[in-house]
PDB file of all heavy atoms in Angstrom:
ATOM      1  N   ARG A 494      53.943 -68.098  57.575  1.00 86.00           N
ATOM      2  CA  ARG A 494      54.743 -66.935  57.973  1.00 86.00           C
ATOM      3  C   ARG A 494      54.606 -65.811  56.938  1.00 86.00           C
ATOM      4  O   ARG A 494      54.435 -64.650  57.287  1.00 86.00           O
ATOM      5  CB  ARG A 494      56.210 -67.325  58.130  1.00 86.00           C
ATOM      6  CG  ARG A 494      56.478 -68.184  59.347  1.00 86.00           C
ATOM      7  CD  ARG A 494      57.962 -68.497  59.486  1.00 86.00           C
ATOM      8  NE  ARG A 494      58.208 -69.329  60.648  1.00 86.00           N
ATOM      9  CZ  ARG A 494      58.418 -68.874  61.878  1.00 86.00           C
ATOM     10  NH1 ARG A 494      58.401 -67.580  62.085  1.00 86.00           N
ATOM     11  NH2 ARG A 494      58.650 -69.691  62.885  1.00 86.00           N
ATOM     12  N   ALA A 495      54.693 -66.151  55.656  1.00 88.00           N
ATOM     13  CA  ALA A 495      54.509 -65.137  54.620  1.00 88.00           C
ATOM     14  C   ALA A 495      53.103 -64.565  54.662  1.00 88.00           C
ATOM     15  O   ALA A 495      52.899 -63.347  54.544  1.00 88.00           O
ATOM     16  CB  ALA A 495      54.793 -65.739  53.240  1.00 88.00           C
ATOM     17  N   ALA A 496      52.110 -65.462  54.896  1.00 91.00           N
ATOM     18  CA  ALA A 496      50.729 -65.006  54.976  1.00 91.00           C
ATOM     19  C   ALA A 496      50.541 -64.070  56.163  1.00 91.00           C
ATOM     20  O   ALA A 496      49.873 -63.026  56.058  1.00 91.00           O
ATOM     21  CB  ALA A 496      49.786 -66.202  55.080  1.00 91.00           C
ATOM     22  N   ARG A 497      51.122 -64.428  57.289  1.00 90.00           N
ATOM     23  CA  ARG A 497      50.997 -63.621  58.496  1.00 90.00           C
ATOM     24  C   ARG A 497      51.567 -62.224  58.271  1.00 90.00           C
ATOM     25  O   ARG A 497      50.951 -61.223  58.612  1.00 90.00           O
ATOM     26  CB  ARG A 497      51.738 -64.327  59.636  1.00 90.00           C
ATOM     27  CG  ARG A 497      51.640 -63.650  60.978  1.00 90.00           C
ATOM     28  CD  ARG A 497      52.486 -64.386  62.003  1.00 90.00           C
ATOM     29  NE  ARG A 497      52.154 -65.796  62.068  1.00 90.00           N
ATOM     30  CZ  ARG A 497      53.029 -66.786  61.843  1.00 90.00           C
ATOM     31  NH1 ARG A 497      54.279 -66.480  61.534  1.00 90.00           N
ATOM     32  NH2 ARG A 497      52.663 -68.051  61.907  1.00 90.00           N
ATOM     33  N   SER A 498      52.736 -62.152  57.634  1.00 88.00           N
ATOM     34  CA  SER A 498      53.366 -60.859  57.382  1.00 88.00           C
ATOM     35  C   SER A 498      52.514 -59.993  56.457  1.00 88.00           C
ATOM     36  O   SER A 498      52.306 -58.806  56.705  1.00 88.00           O
ATOM     37  CB  SER A 498      54.751 -61.068  56.764  1.00 88.00           C
ATOM     38  OG  SER A 498      55.347 -59.849  56.423  1.00 88.00           O
ATOM     39  N   LEU A 499      51.987 -60.584  55.411  1.00 92.00           N
ATOM     40  CA  LEU A 499      51.190 -59.823  54.455  1.00 92.00           C
ATOM     41  C   LEU A 499      49.866 -59.381  55.070  1.00 92.00           C
ATOM     42  O   LEU A 499      49.395 -58.261  54.819  1.00 92.00           O
ATOM     43  CB  LEU A 499      50.933 -60.656  53.202  1.00 92.00           C
ATOM     44  CG  LEU A 499      52.145 -60.809  52.289  1.00 92.00           C
ATOM     45  CD1 LEU A 499      51.921 -61.917  51.268  1.00 92.00           C
ATOM     46  CD2 LEU A 499      52.432 -59.502  51.557  1.00 92.00           C
ATOM     47  N   LEU A 500      49.248 -60.244  55.881  1.00 92.00           N
ATOM     48  CA  LEU A 500      47.992 -59.858  56.519  1.00 92.00           C
ATOM     49  C   LEU A 500      48.211 -58.725  57.510  1.00 92.00           C
ATOM     50  O   LEU A 500      47.373 -57.815  57.626  1.00 92.00           O
ATOM     51  CB  LEU A 500      47.358 -61.066  57.197  1.00 92.00           C
ATOM     52  CG  LEU A 500      46.810 -62.144  56.255  1.00 92.00           C
ATOM     53  CD1 LEU A 500      46.340 -63.360  57.031  1.00 92.00           C
ATOM     54  CD2 LEU A 500      45.656 -61.580  55.418  1.00 92.00           C
ATOM     55  N   LEU A 501      49.332 -58.762  58.215  1.00 90.00           N
ATOM     56  CA  LEU A 501      49.635 -57.656  59.111  1.00 90.00           C
ATOM     57  C   LEU A 501      49.857 -56.362  58.319  1.00 90.00           C
ATOM     58  O   LEU A 501      49.449 -55.279  58.742  1.00 90.00           O
ATOM     59  CB  LEU A 501      50.870 -57.978  59.951  1.00 90.00           C
ATOM     60  CG  LEU A 501      50.673 -59.051  61.032  1.00 90.00           C
ATOM     61  CD1 LEU A 501      52.000 -59.400  61.675  1.00 90.00           C
ATOM     62  CD2 LEU A 501      49.677 -58.578  62.086  1.00 90.00           C
ATOM     63  N   ASP A 502      50.516 -56.473  57.148  1.00 91.00           N
ATOM     64  CA  ASP A 502      50.670 -55.295  56.289  1.00 91.00           C
ATOM     65  C   ASP A 502      49.319 -54.770  55.829  1.00 91.00           C
ATOM     66  O   ASP A 502      49.096 -53.548  55.764  1.00 91.00           O
ATOM     67  CB  ASP A 502      51.526 -55.637  55.066  1.00 91.00           C
ATOM     68  CG  ASP A 502      52.984 -55.820  55.423  1.00 91.00           C
ATOM     69  OD1 ASP A 502      53.400 -55.330  56.492  1.00 91.00           O
ATOM     70  OD2 ASP A 502      53.714 -56.457  54.643  1.00 91.00           O
ATOM     71  N   ALA A 503      48.414 -55.681  55.504  1.00 93.00           N
ATOM     72  CA  ALA A 503      47.082 -55.266  55.066  1.00 93.00           C
ATOM     73  C   ALA A 503      46.346 -54.554  56.203  1.00 93.00           C
ATOM     74  O   ALA A 503      45.735 -53.486  55.996  1.00 93.00           O
ATOM     75  CB  ALA A 503      46.283 -56.476  54.587  1.00 93.00           C
ATOM     76  N   ILE A 504      46.393 -55.125  57.402  1.00 92.00           N
ATOM     77  CA  ILE A 504      45.729 -54.501  58.555  1.00 92.00           C
ATOM     78  C   ILE A 504      46.318 -53.123  58.814  1.00 92.00           C
ATOM     79  O   ILE A 504      45.590 -52.140  59.040  1.00 92.00           O
ATOM     80  CB  ILE A 504      45.865 -55.408  59.794  1.00 92.00           C
ATOM     81  CG1 ILE A 504      45.056 -56.707  59.588  1.00 92.00           C
ATOM     82  CG2 ILE A 504      45.400 -54.685  61.050  1.00 92.00           C
ATOM     83  CD1 ILE A 504      45.315 -57.761  60.660  1.00 92.00           C
ATOM     84  N   GLY A 505      47.658 -53.032  58.752  1.00 88.00           N
ATOM     85  CA  GLY A 505      48.305 -51.741  58.977  1.00 88.00           C
ATOM     86  C   GLY A 505      47.936 -50.712  57.923  1.00 88.00           C
ATOM     87  O   GLY A 505      47.743 -49.533  58.236  1.00 88.00           O
ATOM     88  N   THR A 506      47.833 -51.136  56.670  1.00 92.00           N
ATOM     89  CA  THR A 506      47.485 -50.195  55.592  1.00 92.00           C
ATOM     90  C   THR A 506      46.051 -49.712  55.746  1.00 92.00           C
ATOM     91  O   THR A 506      45.760 -48.511  55.579  1.00 92.00           O
ATOM     92  CB  THR A 506      47.685 -50.855  54.227  1.00 92.00           C
ATOM     93  OG1 THR A 506      49.019 -51.357  54.130  1.00 92.00           O
ATOM     94  CG2 THR A 506      47.448 -49.854  53.105  1.00 92.00           C
ATOM     95  N   TYR A 507      45.131 -50.649  56.060  1.00 93.00           N
ATOM     96  CA  TYR A 507      43.744 -50.226  56.294  1.00 93.00           C
ATOM     97  C   TYR A 507      43.672 -49.243  57.464  1.00 93.00           C
ATOM     98  O   TYR A 507      42.950 -48.237  57.406  1.00 93.00           O
ATOM     99  CB  TYR A 507      42.861 -51.435  56.588  1.00 93.00           C
ATOM    100  CG  TYR A 507      42.474 -52.228  55.354  1.00 93.00           C
ATOM    101  CD1 TYR A 507      42.707 -53.601  55.278  1.00 93.00           C
ATOM    102  CD2 TYR A 507      41.857 -51.609  54.273  1.00 93.00           C
ATOM    103  CE1 TYR A 507      42.353 -54.328  54.159  1.00 93.00           C
ATOM    104  CE2 TYR A 507      41.483 -52.340  53.150  1.00 93.00           C
ATOM    105  CZ  TYR A 507      41.740 -53.708  53.093  1.00 93.00           C
ATOM    106  OH  TYR A 507      41.376 -54.416  51.984  1.00 93.00           O
ATOM    107  N   ALA A 508      44.431 -49.547  58.508  1.00 89.00           N
ATOM    108  CA  ALA A 508      44.409 -48.655  59.668  1.00 89.00           C
ATOM    109  C   ALA A 508      44.994 -47.290  59.334  1.00 89.00           C
ATOM    110  O   ALA A 508      44.533 -46.262  59.827  1.00 89.00           O
ATOM    111  CB  ALA A 508      45.180 -49.288  60.821  1.00 89.00           C
ATOM    112  N   ARG A 509      46.011 -47.277  58.471  1.00 88.00           N
ATOM    113  CA  ARG A 509      46.660 -46.018  58.133  1.00 88.00           C
ATOM    114  C   ARG A 509      45.724 -45.064  57.393  1.00 88.00           C
ATOM    115  O   ARG A 509      45.869 -43.849  57.493  1.00 88.00           O
ATOM    116  CB  ARG A 509      47.906 -46.287  57.288  1.00 88.00           C
ATOM    117  CG  ARG A 509      48.785 -45.066  57.112  1.00 88.00           C
ATOM    118  CD  ARG A 509      50.219 -45.405  56.759  1.00 88.00           C
ATOM    119  NE  ARG A 509      50.359 -46.026  55.463  1.00 88.00           N
ATOM    120  CZ  ARG A 509      50.733 -47.288  55.260  1.00 88.00           C
ATOM    121  NH1 ARG A 509      50.986 -48.069  56.307  1.00 88.00           N
ATOM    122  NH2 ARG A 509      50.844 -47.780  54.058  1.00 88.00           N
ATOM    123  N   ILE A 510      44.782 -45.589  56.627  1.00 91.00           N
ATOM    124  CA  ILE A 510      43.850 -44.714  55.899  1.00 91.00           C
ATOM    125  C   ILE A 510      42.546 -44.524  56.673  1.00 91.00           C
ATOM    126  O   ILE A 510      41.578 -43.995  56.131  1.00 91.00           O
ATOM    127  CB  ILE A 510      43.551 -45.274  54.495  1.00 91.00           C
ATOM    128  CG1 ILE A 510      42.868 -46.644  54.579  1.00 91.00           C
ATOM    129  CG2 ILE A 510      44.806 -45.354  53.668  1.00 91.00           C
ATOM    130  CD1 ILE A 510      42.429 -47.182  53.219  1.00 91.00           C
ATOM    131  N   GLY A 511      42.534 -44.953  57.920  1.00 90.00           N
ATOM    132  CA  GLY A 511      41.366 -44.737  58.760  1.00 90.00           C
ATOM    133  C   GLY A 511      40.240 -45.726  58.533  1.00 90.00           C
ATOM    134  O   GLY A 511      39.125 -45.513  59.019  1.00 90.00           O
ATOM    135  N   ALA A 512      40.512 -46.820  57.800  1.00 93.00           N
ATOM    136  CA  ALA A 512      39.493 -47.843  57.566  1.00 93.00           C
ATOM    137  C   ALA A 512      39.515 -48.820  58.743  1.00 93.00           C
ATOM    138  O   ALA A 512      39.830 -50.010  58.596  1.00 93.00           O
ATOM    139  CB  ALA A 512      39.740 -48.560  56.242  1.00 93.00           C
ATOM    140  N   ALA A 513      39.171 -48.305  59.919  1.00 91.00           N
ATOM    141  CA  ALA A 513      39.273 -49.115  61.139  1.00 91.00           C
ATOM    142  C   ALA A 513      38.313 -50.296  61.098  1.00 91.00           C
ATOM    143  O   ALA A 513      38.630 -51.387  61.600  1.00 91.00           O
ATOM    144  CB  ALA A 513      38.986 -48.243  62.359  1.00 91.00           C
ATOM    145  N   GLY A 514      37.132 -50.102  60.518  1.00 93.00           N
ATOM    146  CA  GLY A 514      36.180 -51.206  60.458  1.00 93.00           C
ATOM    147  C   GLY A 514      36.707 -52.364  59.648  1.00 93.00           C
ATOM    148  O   GLY A 514      36.597 -53.529  60.061  1.00 93.00           O
ATOM    149  N   LYS A 515      37.301 -52.084  58.528  1.00 94.00           N
ATOM    150  CA  LYS A 515      37.867 -53.150  57.697  1.00 94.00           C
ATOM    151  C   LYS A 515      39.074 -53.776  58.380  1.00 94.00           C
ATOM    152  O   LYS A 515      39.261 -55.002  58.328  1.00 94.00           O
ATOM    153  CB  LYS A 515      38.248 -52.581  56.325  1.00 94.00           C
ATOM    154  CG  LYS A 515      39.000 -53.561  55.426  1.00 94.00           C
ATOM    155  CD  LYS A 515      38.217 -54.846  55.156  1.00 94.00           C
ATOM    156  CE  LYS A 515      39.066 -55.852  54.393  1.00 94.00           C
ATOM    157  NZ  LYS A 515      38.391 -57.151  54.229  1.00 94.00           N
ATOM    158  N   ALA A 516      39.925 -52.970  59.020  1.00 92.00           N
ATOM    159  CA  ALA A 516      41.085 -53.517  59.724  1.00 92.00           C
ATOM    160  C   ALA A 516      40.645 -54.478  60.830  1.00 92.00           C
ATOM    161  O   ALA A 516      41.217 -55.572  60.980  1.00 92.00           O
ATOM    162  CB  ALA A 516      41.931 -52.381  60.299  1.00 92.00           C
ATOM    163  N   ASP A 517      39.612 -54.095  61.602  1.00 91.00           N
ATOM    164  CA  ASP A 517      39.113 -54.974  62.656  1.00 91.00           C
ATOM    165  C   ASP A 517      38.503 -56.249  62.062  1.00 91.00           C
ATOM    166  O   ASP A 517      38.693 -57.346  62.603  1.00 91.00           O
ATOM    167  CB  ASP A 517      38.070 -54.242  63.498  1.00 91.00           C
ATOM    168  CG  ASP A 517      38.686 -53.114  64.314  1.00 91.00           C
ATOM    169  OD1 ASP A 517      39.914 -53.146  64.523  1.00 91.00           O
ATOM    170  OD2 ASP A 517      37.935 -52.207  64.727  1.00 91.00           O
ATOM    171  N   GLN A 518      37.780 -56.103  60.961  1.00 93.00           N
ATOM    172  CA  GLN A 518      37.181 -57.288  60.326  1.00 93.00           C
ATOM    173  C   GLN A 518      38.251 -58.257  59.872  1.00 93.00           C
ATOM    174  O   GLN A 518      38.132 -59.480  60.054  1.00 93.00           O
ATOM    175  CB  GLN A 518      36.321 -56.845  59.131  1.00 93.00           C
ATOM    176  CG  GLN A 518      35.612 -57.991  58.404  1.00 93.00           C
ATOM    177  CD  GLN A 518      36.373 -58.451  57.169  1.00 93.00           C
ATOM    178  OE1 GLN A 518      37.337 -57.818  56.753  1.00 93.00           O
ATOM    179  NE2 GLN A 518      35.953 -59.575  56.625  1.00 93.00           N
TER     180      GLN A 518
END
Side-chain angles (χ1 to χ4, degrees):
R494 289 182 180 273
R497 183 184 306 121
S498 176
L499 286 166
L500 290 174
L501 289 173
D502 288 340
I504 293 170
T506 305
Y507 282 126
R509 191 158 66 248
I510 62 174
K515 173 58 186 174
D517 292 340
Q518 181 263 351

